[in-house]
Structures are given as structure tokens and as C-alpha cells.
């Protein structure tokens, strides 16, 4: 759906630019946008590489393990249907730890691995489980202590104080996280209150009763007449009328 929206916006821009006779403006905007994208990417690479290196040092030094132990009770509360010894728990903890430090790009591989492990617990592969929905909500609206990506963008555009957004970002992400958890708990409780689908009742099935043959009523005054059997056909002999052999060959 997103690609259709972008294609529609591009086509509308071309149509309006051609109608106004300013088609060169669209071409200039396309090249300027491409140049800006490359510049921003190069500016982000240095900061992201630095923080990912710090993340690796924190992992080797045991900081992530300590954060994971602190978050373990929270994970047990948020993911009650995931076994505690399942590999998905470790990836979920790593994803949450990376999001806390503002390393969204570093948290993405952990989130993907966690989704793959949760999919292995999914009985219906075409429908997301509650645990998968919870992980997606937490990964999208996670509390961020250090907004690394936003600080890198502000540094790239020569902000006078690029770290002044730390406090507001922390408050905003905290509100978003609590809202996501509340919505997740509400949907889980509603799913638990929903009655299970009952199998179709036998009364709705078509009746297949077999009717017993009705006996012919016999009058009490008339004697019961024995059934008349047909005369036995001789298996051999000569027919008197025709004079031919009627021997049966069985």
C-alpha cells in the first residue's frame, strides 16, 4: 500500500508540474533529494558505527546481560505464553536492551530473530500470535534513554544543541510504551473473555432416520392365511405341452 501512495504522489507531482509548465522543477527536486539522502546516510554512518561499537563493548563487558536480567521479570509479565527457556526470550531481551539505548538499527536483527523464534511456537502460521503482536508494539514504541539516531541527524544538520531532545524523547517514548502495553493488555483480556467457538449442534444436521417398513394390519376375525409359494420348477424333465427338454444347467 505504501508503494502505491508514493507512486500516486510522484504521478500527481508530474501532472501538476507539467500543467504549470515547470517540469524542470520536478527533475531538480529529484536530484536534490537523492543528494540529500546520500549526505544524510554518510552523516549517520559514523554515529551509528560508534554506538554499535559501544553496544558491542557493552555486550562483551556484560552490561547487556545485566540489563537483560533486570528486564527478565518484565518479559515474563509481557509474554506469559512464551516458555522461559525458549530462545525467543533471549532475542526479546536483546531487542529491548538495544531499543533502550536508542540503537534502532542494532535492535532490528534481534527483533527479526525473535519473530522467527516466536513463529516456531505459532500453531497457525498465517495468523500472528499475541506474543508476536506484543513484540511488535514494544519494538515500535519503546522507551529510549539515548535517541542516538535523532542526535546523529541533528549533528548532521549542524544543530547548536543536538542533545537537548533527550528529556522530551524519554517522556514521549515512555508515554508511547505505556500506551502500547495498555492496549496489548486490553486486547489480550478481550481475547480471553471471548467464548470458544462451539461445534455445530446435531439438531442442525439433516435428519437421516430410517423408517422401518410398516407391517400390514391383520384383522382378528379373519384367519391368517399362509403365504402361497410358487410351485417349484422342476430342474429336469420334459415339458408336457411343448415336448422339449427343460434340464437346467447350473
Amino acid at each position: 500500500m505504501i508503494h502505491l501512495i508514493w507512486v500516486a504522489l510522484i504521478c500527481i507531482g508530474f501532472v501538476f508540474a507539467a500543467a504549470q509548465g515547470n517540469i524542470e522543477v520536478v527533475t531538480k527536486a529529484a536530484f536534490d533529494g537523492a543528494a540529500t539522502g546520500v549526505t544524510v546516510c554518510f552523516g549517520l554512518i559514523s554515529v551509528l558505527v560508534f554506538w554499535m561499537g559501544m553496544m558491542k563493548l557493552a555486550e562483551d563487558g556484560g552490561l547487556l546481560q545485566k540489563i537483560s536480567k533486570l528486564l527478565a521479570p518484565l518479559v515474563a509479565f509481557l509474554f506469559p505464553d512464551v516458555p522461559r527457556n525458549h530462545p525467543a526470550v533471549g532475542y526479546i531481551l536483546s531487542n529491548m536492551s538495544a531499543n533502550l539505548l536508542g540503537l534502532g538499527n542494532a535492535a532490528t536483527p534481534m527483533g527479526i530473530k525473535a519473530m522467527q523464534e516466536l513463529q516456531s511456537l505459532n500453531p497457525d502460521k498465517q495468523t500472528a500470535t499475541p506474543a508476536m503482536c506484543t513484540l511488535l508494539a514494544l519494538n515500535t514504541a519503546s522507551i529510549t534513554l539515548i535517541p542516538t539516531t535523532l542526535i546523529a541527524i541533528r549533528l548532521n544538520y549542524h544543530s547548536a544543541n543536538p542533545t537537548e531532545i533527550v528529556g522530551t524523547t524519554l517522556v514521549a517514548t515512555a508515554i508511547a510504551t505505556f500506551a502500547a502495553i495498555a492496549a496489548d493488555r486490553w486486547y489480550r483480556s478481550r481475547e480471553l473473555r471471548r467464548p470458544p467457538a462451539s461445534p455445530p449442534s446435531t439438531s442442525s444436521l439433516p435428519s437421516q432416520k430410517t423408517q422401518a417398513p410398516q407391517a400390514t394390519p391383520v384383522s382378528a376375525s379373519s384367519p391368517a392365511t399362509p403365504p402361497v409359494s410358487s410351485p417349484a420348477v422342476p430342474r429336469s424333465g420334459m415339458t408336457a405341452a411343448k415336448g422339449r427338454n427343460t434340464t437346467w444347467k447350473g
Side-chain angles (χ1 to χ4, degrees):
M1 188 62 185
I2 296 297
H3 64 281
L4 295 178
I5 295 176
W6 280 109
V7 170
L9 290 175
I10 293 173
C11 293
I12 292 172
F14 272 108
V15 170
F16 274 89
Q20 296 178 0
N22 294 327
I23 195 68
E24 69 278 357
V25 176
V26 178
T27 305
K28 183 177 182 301
F31 284 105
D32 290 344
T36 303
V38 173
T39 304
V40 171
C41 289
F42 276 111
L44 291 175
I45 286 174
S46 58
V47 179
L48 288 177
V49 167
F50 170 76
W51 281 107
M52 289 181 70
M54 295 295 293
M55 183 76 171
K56 185 63 177 176
L57 291 176
E59 181 180 359
D60 295 340
L63 179 60
L64 286 184
Q65 285 77 6
K66 293 182 179 180
I67 295 177
S68 298
K69 289 181 180 180
L70 292 175
L71 296 177
L74 180 62
V75 172
F77 168 74
L78 294 176
F79 301 90
D81 47 351
V82 178
R84 299 279 71 84
N85 57 349
H86 196 270
V89 177
Y91 290 116
I92 291 173
L93 290 171
S94 299
N95 176 264
M96 294 176 64
S97 302
N99 281 323
L100 281 175
L101 297 177
L103 301 175
N105 291 342
T108 300
M110 299 299 177
I112 294 175
K113 291 294 295 182
M115 280 292 184
Q116 291 175 350
E117 294 295 337
L118 292 176
Q119 181 70 357
S120 65
L121 299 173
N122 190 1
D124 184 7
K125 303 303 181 183
Q126 302 299 323
T127 305
T129 60
M132 298 171 73
C133 296
T134 303
L135 177 61
L136 180 62
L138 290 177
N139 187 70
T140 304
S142 176
I143 297 178
T144 304
L145 300 178
I146 306 173
T148 307
T149 304
L150 291 178
I151 292 175
I153 293 175
R154 291 171 64 86
L155 281 172
N156 187 66
Y157 283 96
H158 310 290
S159 174
N161 189 4
T163 59
E164 65 181 355
I165 60 171
V166 173
T168 55
T169 302
L170 178 61
V171 174
T173 54
I175 295 174
T177 302
F178 286 126
I181 293 175
D184 177 73
R185 295 293 99 181
W186 183 78
Y187 277 107
R188 280 179 178 263
S189 62
R190 191 183 70 167
E191 188 68 22
L192 291 176
R193 290 195 304 266
R194 181 178 300 176
S198 58
S201 59
T202 56
S203 59
S204 61
L205 298 177
S207 178
Q208 298 181 355
K209 295 181 179 179
T210 56
Q211 297 181 356
Q214 298 180 357
T216 305
V218 179
S219 176
S221 59
S222 61
T225 58
V228 181
S229 59
S230 58
V233 181
R235 297 187 59 86
S236 63
M238 298 294 295
T239 304
K242 299 294 183 178
R244 55 188 176 87
N245 190 2
T246 58
T247 304
W248 288 11
K249 298 179 180 180

